[in-house]
Amino acid sequence: MTAKRVTLADVAAHAGTSTAVVSYVLNDGPRPVSEALRAKVLRALDELQYRPDRIARALRRPGRWRQIGLLVPDLTLPLFGTLVGRIELKARRRDHLTLIGNTGYDPDRELEFVEAFAGSGIDGLIVVGGANGPATAKVCARERIPIVWAHNNRDHVDSPLVGADHVAAGALAARHLLEAHGRREIVFVGGFTAEDVVHGDRETVAQRHAGYATVVGTADARVVRTDLTPQGAYASVTRYLATEPAPRGMVVGTYGQAAAVLRAIADSGLRTPEDIAVVGFDADARNSFGQPVLTTVQQPIDVIARAALDRILSPATAATPVVDVRLEAGETCGCGIDPMSSRNHRLAAETF
């Protein structure tokens, strides 16, 4: 049998005072309490092991410093770490603190966080790269919590999705290799089926692959399948280069695998970009000192963060924008080396 929650009335009776006085002690006001009476209340709180009702406290919470929940799949990746930082900053400017849960694309862990956040009285939930859409949406509907999905979502649910056009991003990466550098034999590195990937962003990779295929053509599309880990990318690309003719270009579906792909190319005795030009996605914009610098398709993190917050804090007036992407030319594609590189490569996805 579940133990009965100790109430303010229980504490007041134990201390021989009123519930109002207990509330004044707990909230440090609004009326003063004598030191002797305060000591009696504090002793009663300890003896009864009183714990505040967080849901009730959330309902009474003033407008300043309310709370939102934010679920993110992997804080170690630059894209997600940057997005969390921007959401936290923008939420704080709107008087909301952010509770953060790292889900690892694990549906059970995602649901645990949602239940815990709901119990703390959050005013809205942002789910980045959701892996348990229906169950998460059900909890939020039950608790009347506004919810928005950011970046991508594993299962279709009737809630807004704020994110970049990943199909356009894949097309932009492939078209840059084809048109700016004349690379016609281009392969895609990544996994996007349940057989390829258990815990990983296979939905985004699938959309990027679809965009890549629109550029190279279905008949010429080739995939080096991986499980979206660096180890998987290194092994798959190494095996591919040992058994197949080397392509002239590679589009790498996730940033987390880009360094492993570059290493696999080098360990296979090939050069980047001279032999194989490479374009990736979502590089760490704060750190461009690697060698060579990765050419990458970038998402506008500020736009996504602002739109996601608008959807949960002002749902009646907020619109869900179409979030465009841009290409940041580095060295792995041949920009700065290729004689055609004098063209402006900071291209918007809608150009194509």
Side-chain angles (χ1 to χ4, degrees):
M1 178 181 295
T2 303
K4 177 179 177 292
R5 177 186 288 275
V6 177
T7 66
L8 288 184
D10 296 328
V11 175
H14 196 76
T17 186
S18 68
T19 56
V21 169
V22 176
S23 178
Y24 299 157
V25 173
L26 286 171
N27 296 294
D28 196 24
R31 294 186 178 182
V33 178
S34 70
E35 289 303 316
L37 187 52
R38 178 182 296 275
K40 290 178 65 176
V41 171
L42 292 175
R43 187 166 55 251
L45 290 168
D46 288 340
E47 291 173 354
L48 295 179
Q49 296 183 329
Y50 173 80
R51 295 292 181 271
D53 185 337
R54 294 185 181 276
I55 296 179
R57 174 172 290 186
L59 292 174
R60 295 192 300 270
R61 196 164 53 222
R64 182 160 176 79
W65 301 129
R66 299 169 74 96
Q67 294 176 335
I68 65 167
L70 172 60
L71 298 181
V72 62
D74 188 348
L75 282 168
T76 66
L77 292 179
L79 170 69
F80 298 132
T82 303
L83 182 58
V84 167
R86 300 290 173 80
I87 290 175
E88 189 277 332
L89 177 63
K90 293 178 184 297
R92 186 153 37 93
R93 288 173 176 169
R94 296 168 73 162
D95 298 329
H96 280 74
L97 300 177
T98 306
L99 303 179
I100 301 170
N102 197 40
T103 68
Y105 284 106
D106 185 325
D108 294 332
R109 194 189 308 175
E110 179 179 309
L111 187 57
E112 287 176 3
F113 276 122
V114 174
E115 293 281 8
F117 287 177
S120 72
I122 59 172
D123 300 299
L125 178 68
I126 300 173
V127 184
V128 179
N132 199 354
T136 296
K138 184 177 180 180
V139 173
C140 289
R142 183 190 73 207
E143 302 293 336
R144 306 289 196 274
I145 297 172
I147 183 173
V148 64
W149 314 96
H151 186 63
N152 230 314
N153 180 33
R154 181 144 296 173
D155 301 294
H156 174 75
V157 291
D158 188 19
S159 298
L161 172 65
V162 176
D165 187 338
H166 299 299
V167 175
L172 179 57
R175 196 174 295 275
H176 180 73
L177 290 174
L178 178 64
E179 295 194 347
H181 298 288
R183 306 297 176 112
R184 298 194 174 278
E185 300 83 26
I186 306 170
V187 302
F188 186 93
V189 180
F192 43 83
T193 69
E195 290 72 27
D196 297 328
V197 183
V198 178
H199 296 318
D201 192 7
R202 62 178 184 257
E203 290 74 26
T204 298
V205 176
Q207 293 168 34
R208 290 169 175 171
H209 172 262
Y212 149 86
T214 65
V215 173
V216 302
T218 303
D220 293 324
R222 289 181 285 167
V223 181
V224 180
R225 293 190 175 273
T226 78
D227 62 0
L228 301 188
T229 65
Q231 297 83 355
Y234 180 84
S236 295
V237 172
T238 299
R239 185 167 51 249
Y240 184 90
L241 293 176
T243 58
E244 301 289 338
R248 295 287 291 141
M250 284 187 175
V251 174
V252 184
T254 66
Y255 178 71
Q257 296 184 292
V261 169
L262 294 176
R263 179 61 182 269
I265 292 172
D267 288 354
S268 299
L270 299 168
R271 300 167 301 165
T272 302
E274 292 86 352
D275 298 316
I276 303 177
V278 176
V279 177
F281 300 89
D282 303 322
D284 185 356
R286 301 163 297 183
N287 184 2
S288 59
F289 295 98
Q291 191 175 7
V293 176
L294 181 68
T295 296
T296 181
V297 178
Q298 297 288 104
Q299 304 181 48
I301 302 301
D302 269 334
V303 175
I304 294 173
R306 183 173 60 251
L309 280 170
D310 287 344
R311 288 298 314 183
I312 61 171
L313 299 182
S314 306
T317 58
T320 304
V322 176
V323 182
D324 294 324
V325 294
R326 68 183 187 279
L327 188 134
E328 292 285 354
E331 298 167 342
T332 58
C333 64
C335 285
I337 299 173
D338 193 299
M340 296 178 66
S341 65
S342 59
R343 297 177 56 190
N344 177 14
H345 299 312
R346 295 175 62 91
L347 303 173
E350 64 266 23
T351 302
F352 306 113

